[in-house]
Amino acid sequence: MSYLAIAEHALKHGLDESQIAHAWKNAVVCTRIERKDGFVDYVAVGPDQNGRVIEMTGRAKDFGILIYHANTPPTTRSLRALNLQRRTRRLKWKPSY
């Protein structure tokens, strides 16, 4: 599974195929997500040729990986999925001290 395909939908945030491919091949962090419908997705974060950090989501297919989402800068949700950002806890009550 070494073939990498990039869906047209992944290009909607102004990134081109070379930037996405470079970021995927040089991903700093990648995690596998088993979906309830049986598919396997991968969420990854990596730099493009200019060092800009790109968030990518791909799906395992018979031919390789299909990247169907790419965005920069990475969203808080994807950073949490990759354990790169901690959740902040807010107090719902004020202490009485």
Side-chain angles (χ1 to χ4, degrees), residues 6-84:
I6 300 171
E8 186 177 332
H9 181 74
L11 306 174
K12 77 174 196 173
H13 293 291
L15 298 168
D16 63 24
E17 289 186 14
S18 66
Q19 291 171 317
I20 296 170
H22 186 273
W24 185 265
K25 291 174 185 172
N26 296 293
V28 177
V29 180
C30 183
T31 189
R32 178 185 169 120
I33 299 172
E34 301 279 342
R35 295 173 37 110
K36 292 180 183 177
D37 56 9
F39 291 109
V40 177
D41 283 354
Y42 293 92
V43 177
V45 171
D48 68 357
Q49 298 92 327
N50 299 320
R52 188 169 55 163
V53 180
I54 298 176
E55 156 201 343
M56 299 152 292
T57 306
R59 179 159 296 160
K61 296 287 193 177
D62 293 337
F63 57 82
I65 299 291
L66 172 65
I67 297 176
Y68 62 88
H69 172 76
N71 191 28
T72 187
T75 61
T76 303
R77 180 178 176 184
S78 66
L79 292 175
R80 282 188 194 140
L82 295 167
N83 292 323
L84 294 176

